[in-house]
Amino acid sequence: MKGRKLLMIPGPIEFEPEVLQAMGIATNSHVAPDFINVFGNCLELMRKVWKSPKGQPFIVAGTGTLAMDMAISNLIEKEDDVLVVSSGYFGERFKDILNCYGANTTLLEAPIGEAVSVEAIEKELKNKSYKAITITHVDTSTGVLIDPKPIAKLAAKYNVLSILDGVCSVAGEEINQDEWELDIVLTASQKAIGVPPGLALLMASEKAMKVWKNRKTVVSNYYADWKNWLPIMQAYEARKPSYFGTPAVNLIVALEASLKIINKEGIDNRIKRHQLLANAFRKAINALDLKILPNSNDIAANTLSAVYYPESIDGVALRTKIASSDVIVAGGLLSEIKNNYFRVGHMGSVSANDLVSVLSALERALIALNYPIASGRSIQVFQNEILKN
């Protein structure tokens, strides 16, 4: 790319030109009729992406962590028992948030690179009565993908609320919220949704909204309280002005642009594209004799890849060499092994050409650091895999 580097981290990602153009328009009033219509369109388009025609969408200025905080603060009360299913850094974050609200948390944690089994989850649900279970669909720190469908079925079986952290999965991994009976699916704008950072996005089921309405204590978070935000969402969807806090006007205009792009592609087609590119990229990485962090392809995310450095290669030196080829990848995040691996984001508007650029930069960096590989090997494997489809 001329003039700037290709950003291939797990968020923020590369954004479509139409989205960036929408960001750059003159800022409108948050109660102007045309902006109210944009906001209402976003709420309706979210239901299509989430596959949740019955869900209640929320769009709030903030981060993915705010979306997590919003889910917990509105649904969980002090002394509630909550089961946290963790496959990395962000499972632990759920536990930290729950502790802030006085919940009794039980952490089911998988070894690094593995996923907690459905059998272990059901055993825990059988032995104890929980109000909710939290699931990290894709943990950005490890690249481990959890299948939420069987876990959501268990939650429904044991009458437990299911809260899915979809920050690194919504619009990149398969999600059928209503069909799978997921009560909360949350995300952030800067991942596969394809909008610059700054929006917390959340979809609540009818069951979740009922639990919130029937809670015994007040929500102990003023900004996140659905009591303040639900009337705003309802008003904007009815194309009426309302106010609680000033929305991120330009980001929401950009969100509409991106949601339109997603729905034009078709959410099922978009998921298949992510799966195709991720599978080809993993095979290319394997062709360089590099190992991914998830212990099998079955639990490897389609939105990012976490890759171990070769033992003989300094990680900082490798990423520096890659950056010199105008490609930016991310270092490790999981504290126990953060110096042992790097991460490549491949979500949103990512193309095969983007990943060829990553592989080319990676190969040059490895060769410059005297790692024994055949030049062009990973690109050949990647291209052959793409051409099969």
Side-chain angles (χ1 to χ4, degrees):
M1 295 180 69
K2 293 181 179 179
R4 69 181 186 88
K5 298 180 186 294
L6 179 65
L7 187 63
M8 296 298 292
I9 66 174
I13 63 170
E14 291 283 332
F15 304 114
E16 295 282 3
E18 300 95 318
V19 173
L20 296 177
Q21 288 166 9
M23 282 286 295
I25 66 168
T27 302
N28 203 351
S29 165
H30 59 288
V31 291
D34 53 347
F35 175 71
I36 292 170
N37 190 58
V38 166
F39 202 125
N41 285 342
C42 287
L43 296 168
E44 291 161 1
L45 290 167
M46 279 176 64
R47 290 197 183 93
K48 294 181 180 180
V49 173
W50 270 249
K51 292 192 175 181
S52 182
K54 297 179 181 178
Q56 174 57 57
F58 290 89
I59 303 171
V60 179
T63 65
T65 300
L66 173 67
M68 297 169 76
D69 196 1
M70 183 173 279
I72 299 304
S73 62
N74 282 279
L75 295 177
I76 304 303
E77 300 179 70
K78 191 174 182 179
E79 302 299 332
D80 281 345
D81 293 308
V82 181
L83 181 61
V84 176
V85 178
S86 177
S87 52
Y89 182 94
F90 290 97
E92 290 281 352
R93 177 161 293 185
F94 255 136
K95 184 177 184 295
D96 291 342
I97 295 170
L98 284 157
N99 289 343
C100 286
Y101 294 104
N104 298 319
T105 58
T106 299
L107 183 67
L108 271 184
E109 191 171 17
I112 294 173
E114 298 182 19
V116 177
S117 70
V118 174
E119 292 76 18
I121 295 169
E122 181 159 27
K123 181 180 179 181
E124 193 61 46
L125 293 175
K126 278 182 178 178
N127 292 338
K128 189 174 180 179
S129 179
Y130 287 96
K131 184 175 185 179
I133 180 171
T134 69
I135 313 148
T136 309
H137 196 182
V138 171
D139 199 297
T140 317
S141 70
T142 60
V144 170
L145 171 70
I146 302 295
D147 183 359
K149 185 177 180 179
I151 304 174
K153 284 187 176 181
L154 285 178
K157 176 181 176 180
Y158 291 96
N159 194 28
V160 175
L161 288 169
S162 52
I163 301 173
L164 184 70
D165 170 2
V167 168
C168 205
S169 69
V170 172
E173 303 283 1
E174 184 182 8
I175 296 174
N176 293 280
Q177 182 167 359
D178 285 6
E179 180 186 330
W180 296 351
E181 296 184 84
L182 287 161
D183 292 303
I184 297 289
V185 178
L186 60 92
T187 192
S189 56
Q190 77 275 12
K191 304 281 188 174
I193 286 291
V195 178
L199 294 176
L201 308 171
L202 182 148
M203 189 76 69
S205 71
E206 292 176 313
K207 178 181 176 182
M209 295 306 294
K210 185 177 180 180
V211 169
W212 166 69
K213 289 174 183 176
N214 292 330
R215 61 180 291 138
K216 298 173 184 176
T217 59
V218 297
V219 174
S220 55
N221 184 321
Y222 180 71
Y223 183 68
D225 194 343
W226 288 345
K227 179 184 70 176
N228 296 320
W229 289 111
L230 181 60
I232 310 303
M233 303 302 121
Q234 292 172 332
Y236 277 133
E237 191 160 11
R239 305 311 194 265
K240 297 177 182 179
S242 191
Y243 173 77
F244 168 62
T246 304
V249 172
N250 288 59
L251 280 169
I252 291 168
V253 175
L255 176 64
E256 183 194 36
S258 191
L259 290 173
K260 284 181 176 178
I261 291 169
I262 293 169
N263 280 288
K264 183 178 180 180
E265 181 180 9
I267 189 61
D268 291 338
N269 291 332
R270 188 177 179 88
I271 301 309
K272 288 177 183 176
R273 173 168 60 83
H274 279 76
Q275 291 170 344
L276 168 64
L277 290 173
N279 181 61
F281 186 73
R282 286 193 295 268
K283 289 189 175 181
I285 290 295
N286 185 61
L288 297 175
D289 292 324
L290 300 181
K291 182 183 176 185
I292 61 171
L293 195 154
N295 65 6
S296 76
N297 280 324
D298 293 337
I299 59 168
N302 297 301
T303 50
L304 81 145
S305 292
V307 184
Y308 284 110
Y309 299 120
E311 289 185 8
S312 60
I313 298 295
D314 177 77
V316 174
L318 181 67
R319 295 202 317 276
T320 301
K321 289 286 186 184
I322 293 172
S324 71
S325 293
D326 292 335
V327 174
I328 302 297
V329 298
L333 180 60
L334 198 65
S335 59
E336 301 96 312
I337 57 168
K338 68 178 298 181
N339 296 321
N340 298 349
Y341 71 108
F342 65 99
R343 295 170 299 146
V344 178
H346 35 76
M347 68 186 96
S349 62
V350 68
S351 69
N353 290 342
D354 294 328
L355 290 175
V356 167
S357 295
V358 173
L359 292 168
S360 178
L362 174 59
E363 283 197 4
R364 287 198 297 273
L366 289 169
I367 291 168
L369 295 171
N370 300 314
Y371 182 71
I373 59 168
S375 178
R377 173 61 179 153
S378 70
I379 298 171
Q380 181 183 40
V381 169
F382 180 83
Q383 297 279 50
N384 289 342
E385 195 63 30
I386 294 296
L387 289 170
K388 288 181 184 177
N389 297 274

